[in-house]
Amino acid sequence: MKPEEIALQFATRGTIKEVLPHGGGHINDSYRLVNASEDEPDYLLQRINHYVFRNVDLLMKNMALVTEHILRVQQERGTGDLHRRTLTIIPTRDGESYLRITDPEESYWRVLNYIEDHHVFEKAPDPGIAYEGARMFGDFTRMLSGLDASGLGITIPRFHDLKWRISNLRKSIEEDTAVRVKFVEDEIRYIESSLSLMSTVQELGEKGAIPSRVTHNDTKISNVLFDGNRRGLCVIDLDTVMPGYVHFDFGDGIRTFTNTGEEDDRDPNNVRMDLDMYRAFASGFLESTREVLTRAELDSLVYAGVLFPYEQGVRFLTDYLSGDVYYKTRYKEHNLVRTRAQLKLAQDGESKLEQCRKIIRELT
Ligand code: GN1
Ligand code: MG
């Protein structure tokens, strides 16, 4: 079924005159539903990737809990312009939070409010934007610190379980399905040699030294919408919101905000961890969270900044070795290019670990 036909099944207002492809996620497909009437809002239609998100029902229940909680907090704060500052699930005409289609193939769809006049940055252009984006993600953590994490389901089991990610990588090396191991021996060596440093956060979690919280789990800059005045409007992409450690959000933010190159830079020499951006991200994030985080969390955040480029490198490499089955790729070596860029960022971060520790210490 076409997105145009799917759209008709949701309880939208007005008349949809156009369906335009929207955004650049690696997992779901999104479309903007343009309303014929100026007075009626546009919407966002999304096809939920069912291969990645096996339990759509649970995912949508999480999303309802989180969006309702955020709306309540924003209302208590007296925030204006609420429809641009919160995500709202638009139900189907039958009152369901999503639509399941079985014919001709199984697919899952949902509709959200479209946030008017927003800007997305694929990369943080300057420290001011990095600060603001980080403040938004920190505020997300802060708003959800009032929601019991155990009430949320796990949308992707073991999403940031490093041991599991490493065991999958080792399996993909052993199986060598795509006959590519011979190209990545240096990368594998680096991953093995840094594993013990990278395991710090997981070990703290296992010991119970850091608490479980509601985490976003995909805190890249393109998941914050900005207005025309460089102010953050809203955090989007709530599919991976589930219980986790604050390190997951801090770490993925550092991975994406501080990279001087691209996530998939073909030249790893372009990729470094920019310390001005680091300071900007850390100070924005901590501005919102300083009061809710424990000392043990604050003292160990620095490890998250190296862990996330590393873990992302491990995930891209596993997909490369498995023959590109998870991430959308635009060319044959795309996952290899991504792997090298991410591991370069992890290595650069490792070499700057003490400087980063100092930055965080100064801010806490
Ligand atoms: C995926 O689909 P997108 O771009 O929001 C991935 C993230 C990765 C990211 C890398 C569910 O996110 O974990 O960090 O790509 N999401 C999932 O860009 O695997
Ligand atoms: Mg995402």
Side-chain angles (χ1 to χ4, degrees):
M1 232 191 265
K2 288 203 195 116
E4 284 77 1
E5 295 166 70
I6 305 278
L8 293 175
Q9 309 210 29
F10 285 85
T12 55
R13 301 209 310 254
T15 312
I16 305 303
K17 65 164 185 196
E18 228 182 331
V19 176
L20 306 172
H22 184 83
H26 293 30
I27 306 286
N28 294 327
D29 300 320
S30 301
Y31 305 87
R32 178 175 177 176
L33 307 180
V34 184
N35 224 309
S37 154
E38 291 264 308
D39 304 331
E40 300 292 2
D42 288 356
Y43 297 93
L44 189 75
L45 169 69
Q46 292 188 303
R47 179 179 172 158
I48 306 166
N49 183 325
H50 182 230
Y51 174 77
V52 172
F53 299 105
R54 302 283 175 165
N55 191 341
V56 177
D57 203 63
L58 177 144
L59 181 157
M60 292 306 294
K61 280 193 182 122
N62 276 1
M63 193 159 174
L65 274 175
V66 168
T67 51
E68 282 157 20
H69 183 86
I70 289 178
L71 180 65
R72 256 195 316 274
V73 174
Q74 298 280 33
Q75 281 168 336
E76 277 162 23
R77 287 180 179 175
T79 308
D81 206 9
L82 268 183
H83 62 286
R84 288 171 80 215
R85 295 183 181 275
T86 47
L87 292 180
T88 311
I89 300 171
I90 311 296
T92 65
R93 299 211 180 269
D94 297 332
E96 302 294 334
S97 63
Y98 66 94
L99 183 71
R100 175 170 178 255
I101 304 277
T102 46
D103 184 32
E105 48 161 1
E106 194 177 10
S107 62
Y108 292 81
W109 301 79
R110 72 172 162 228
V111 171
L112 304 173
N113 55 319
Y114 180 84
I115 296 183
E116 294 295 333
D117 297 324
H118 70 256
H119 295 258
V120 173
F121 296 98
E122 286 306 320
K123 252 174 84 72
D126 57 68
I129 292 289
Y131 173 89
E132 180 63 6
R135 193 187 62 74
M136 291 294 292
F137 281 124
D139 193 40
F140 186 84
T141 305
R142 184 195 178 103
M143 287 191 280
L144 291 167
S145 65
L147 184 69
D148 180 6
S150 66
L152 293 184
I154 313 282
T155 55
I156 303 186
R158 309 179 117 181
F159 195 50
H160 289 310
D161 176 344
L162 185 64
K163 279 188 191 152
W164 183 69
R165 295 282 179 199
I166 291 287
S167 97
N168 285 347
L169 173 65
R170 289 180 180 151
K171 223 182 290 155
S172 73
I173 294 170
E174 243 170 66
E175 290 168 3
D176 199 10
T177 315
V179 204
R180 287 171 162 178
V181 170
K182 59 185 179 231
F183 304 123
V184 294
E185 277 168 7
D186 289 348
E187 286 74 16
I188 295 171
R189 212 168 304 122
Y190 166 68
I191 288 169
E192 292 294 348
S193 72
S194 284
L195 181 56
S196 104
L197 171 71
M198 302 297 175
S199 302
T200 314
V201 174
Q202 190 158 31
E203 280 160 12
L204 288 172
E206 283 167 359
K207 277 196 290 198
I210 48 177
S212 173
R213 295 182 177 279
V214 180
T215 47
H216 180 278
N217 294 310
D218 197 6
T219 48
K220 54 186 175 192
I221 181 115
S222 57
N223 280 337
V224 179
L225 304 185
F226 288 80
D227 70 10
N229 299 315
R230 298 166 55 90
R231 284 283 294 179
L233 280 172
C234 186
V235 167
I236 59 163
D237 190 2
L238 307 183
D239 295 329
T240 49
V241 175
M242 54 186 155
Y245 302 119
V246 68
H247 301 72
F248 299 171
D249 288 351
F250 185 85
D252 217 23
I254 292 293
R255 176 180 82 81
T256 54
F257 283 65
T258 69
N259 185 353
T260 55
E262 303 298 326
E263 179 177 84
D264 56 353
D265 213 302
R266 286 180 190 258
D267 182 359
N269 289 323
N270 293 337
V271 174
R272 285 180 312 279
M273 197 171 274
D274 182 305
L275 291 182
D276 290 334
M277 289 294 199
Y278 194 105
R279 184 181 296 278
F281 181 87
S283 88
F285 194 86
L286 289 165
E287 176 67 33
S288 304
T289 56
R290 201 177 276 116
E291 282 142 40
V292 296
L293 300 186
T294 66
R295 194 69 243 171
E297 288 179 302
L298 294 169
D299 287 345
S300 54
L301 279 182
V302 68
Y303 298 105
V306 286
L307 167 61
F308 270 70
Y310 175 90
E311 182 191 290
Q312 192 67 63
V314 169
R315 292 176 62 192
F316 284 145
L317 182 56
T318 307
D319 199 33
Y320 175 68
L321 294 179
S322 313
D324 309 317
V325 290
Y326 187 89
Y327 292 103
K328 293 182 194 167
T329 50
R330 285 198 309 277
Y331 52 92
K332 201 167 137 240
E333 305 294 294
H334 202 167
N335 273 321
L336 176 61
V337 165
R338 287 166 167 158
T339 303
R340 291 194 169 136
Q342 292 301 302
L343 295 182
K344 168 67 199 301
L345 189 61
Q347 274 169 322
D348 193 54
E350 273 194 58
S351 75
K352 294 171 177 163
L353 200 63
E354 289 319 308
Q355 286 155 282
C356 296
R357 196 191 303 277
K358 196 163 154 254
I359 291 172
I360 295 179
R361 223 180 259 142
E362 282 165 12
L363 293 168
T364 55

